[in-house]
Amino acid sequence: MIKIICVCGARPNFMKIAPLMKAFNQSGKFQTLLVHTGQHYDQKMSTLFFDELNIPKPDINLEVGSGSHAVQTAEVMKRFEPVVLDFKPDYVLVVGDVNSTIACGMVAVKIGVKLIHVEAGLRSFDRSMPEEINRVLTDSISDILFVTEQSGIDNLKNEGVNSDKVYLVGNVMIDTLLANKDKAEKSDILEKLYLEKKKYAVITLHRPSNVDDMNNLEKIISAFEVIQKDLKLVFPIHPRTKKNIEGSSLQARVTAMTNLILLEPVGYLDFLKLTANAAIVITDSGGIQEETTILGVPCMTLRENTERPVTVAEGTNRLIHIDTQDIIKHYNQIKSANFEAKGRIPKFWDGKAAERIAQILLTSYR
Ligand code: UD1
Ligand code: UDP
């Protein structure tokens, strides 16, 4: 038996933890404790995904909620430490790059518990991004590092990480996409929103550099004002973004866009149905760059860099400067190619990453 605490906290963690919990539980050789830090807590940012993705109910919810980086990270650490001391696991497993990832990682290694990082090695090389700090720090203290794409292997090598503990296993987020694609096709979200396949764009935005910086947010909204005259925009809005728009001078401009459908965050299956059938996706999300690559849908990532370069080199993604005219120019280019994007599937993005991880742990770390 491997005794392992699996940690999740924010929306993208849930898609990543789902196939891991399944692989661990199906093997019968892991004793798991699922800890939710409570970093995300709205029904539409958290509970919904547990129901839809059949993730076991967390054994413990630390209920940390929102706060500044220091407050949130410290609060997770304070509340996670007694859990680790009590459960006495062989390993703590963390996924992704959110504050909960580094907070729980630090607690584990300081108590002397080995740390596993799933989605290790990704680098945007942009230290102004909170996630980049979380990625670099988590990798530097991890004992076993599971990587989604070759760039991650190269980055860890360049940072001097011993290759004996690094494994290219593929992408657990794509495990979840492939496991749910058929189910998602049955969603009635298109009918509910009166959308026709390939006749709309999906938008998501939540990076602080785009939505806390009102100057950048204004540039992006200005581009949407132009694009929505041509194509319907569907925008499930992240709570951070909603708060920033509400009460600002942009509020009236967003409301005035007659071809923009503003929604609360939607569930995974509805979102997958929306993206799979979209003409184009415009986003600053990490995970959505990967999902559009698998779905073969053109993706405009409104960022200066990406920690997921394979989505540009092999997938359907392109990076766009935060500049109104640039966003419109790229939109028009993609439109003139009939919203078609050619790409290939990155190595091991085949739905079996979590099984590989379970197998490696059982073979080499039991
Ligand atoms: C976090 C992650 C980011 C990830 C994103 C996914 C960090 C540093 N950031 O960003 O890497 O891409 O999640 O969505 O860990 N809020 C609610 N309800 C919720 C959760 C948040 O209203 O359920 C609001 C609060 O006002 C909160 C704000 O959103 O202050 C930001 O939440 P937080 O978790 O700090 O960061 P995200 O922007 O969600
Ligand atoms: N997602 C969702 N509903 C939404 C927006 C996104 O289910 O309204 C899913 C999306 O399919 C992907 C994950 O949330 O699986 C990405 O999370 P997010 O963009 O919040 O975080 P990031 O990947 O940028 O860290």
Side-chain angles (χ1 to χ4, degrees), residues 145-215:
L145 299 95
F146 292 115
V147 179
T148 52
E149 59 167 270
Q150 184 59 38
S151 77
I153 300 283
D154 301 341
N155 294 332
L156 293 171
K157 191 173 174 212
N158 290 339
E159 289 172 19
V161 177
N162 184 342
S163 64
D164 289 353
K165 55 182 188 176
V166 177
Y167 301 87
L168 183 66
V169 289
N171 193 325
V172 286
M173 199 165 214
I174 300 307
D175 290 3
T176 294
L177 187 154
L178 296 175
N180 286 284
K181 207 164 168 238
D182 290 347
K183 214 167 155 192
E185 264 312 306
K186 300 197 183 88
S187 147
D188 60 359
I189 185 89
L190 300 192
E191 291 81 10
K192 273 192 189 149
L193 299 176
Y194 303 103
L195 295 170
E196 269 182 75
K197 289 185 176 182
K198 300 291 169 197
K199 297 275 169 61
Y200 63 91
V202 173
I203 293 172
T204 81
L205 287 178
H206 68 272
R207 292 278 153 237
S209 57
N210 283 337
V211 305
D212 290 358
D213 179 330
M214 294 313 271
N215 193 27

Side-chain angles (χ1 to χ4, degrees), residues 10-12 39-43 45-46 66-67 69 72 97-100 130-131 134 206-208 238-240 243 286:
R11 178 167 66 186
Q39 176 173 346
H40 285 177
Y41 43 85
D42 287 349
Q43 196 265 345
M45 294 297 286
S46 174
S66 304
H69 285 278
Q72 190 173 60
D97 55 15
V98 302
N99 284 346
S100 302
E131 295 80 5
N134 295 341
H206 68 272
R207 292 278 153 237
H238 188 283
R240 174 189 286 276
K243 285 193 178 118

Side-chain angles (χ1 to χ4, degrees), residues 207-259:
R207 292 278 153 237
S209 57
N210 283 337
V211 305
D212 290 358
D213 179 330
M214 294 313 271
N215 193 27
N216 279 347
L217 189 55
E218 198 273 334
K219 289 182 197 168
I220 295 169
I221 298 291
S222 298
F224 293 166
E225 284 172 332
V226 175
I227 296 172
Q228 59 103 35
K229 292 190 182 133
D230 193 54
L231 190 68
K232 203 169 264 189
L233 305 183
V234 182
F235 187 5
I237 192 163
H238 188 283
R240 174 189 286 276
T241 313
K242 187 176 179 204
K243 285 193 178 118
N244 289 344
I245 291 178
E246 269 171 9
S248 81
S249 59
L250 292 173
Q251 167 102 61
R253 286 173 60 184
V254 170
T255 316
M257 283 191 245
T258 49
N259 223 8

Side-chain angles (χ1 to χ4, degrees), residues 343-355:
R344 56 176 191 271
I345 308 294
K347 187 176 176 186
F348 291 156
W349 291 22
D350 57 1
K352 298 190 174 121
E355 286 170 34

Side-chain angles (χ1 to χ4, degrees), residues 10-13 15-16 40 44-45 49 52 97-98 131 173 176 204 206-207 236-238 264-272 275 283-289 291 303 307-308:
R11 178 167 66 186
N13 294 167
M15 299 78 192
K16 294 170 195 172
H40 285 177
K44 291 190 164 100
M45 294 297 286
F49 302 105
E52 282 191 317
D97 55 15
V98 302
E131 295 80 5
M173 199 165 214
T176 294
T204 81
H206 68 272
R207 292 278 153 237
I237 192 163
H238 188 283
E264 292 282 302
V266 298
Y268 183 80
L269 297 174
D270 283 345
F271 192 75
L272 182 50
T275 48
T283 190
D284 59 12
S285 159
I288 295 169
Q289 298 172 56
E291 292 171 342
R303 285 178 48 189
E307 61 289 334
R308 294 162 159 90

Side-chain angles (χ1 to χ4, degrees), residues 77 80-81 84-85 89-94 101-117 137-144 165:
M77 291 183 73
F80 187 57
E81 186 176 54
V84 183
L85 289 171
D90 302 312
Y91 299 97
V92 165
L93 178 148
V94 294
T101 308
I102 179 60
C104 293
M106 251 194 306
V107 168
V109 296
K110 291 209 167 184
I111 301 177
V113 173
K114 294 213 168 352
L115 180 64
I116 303 171
H117 186 203
L137 294 180
T138 305
D139 286 344
S140 72
I141 56 173
S142 290
D143 297 280
I144 310 172
K165 55 182 188 176

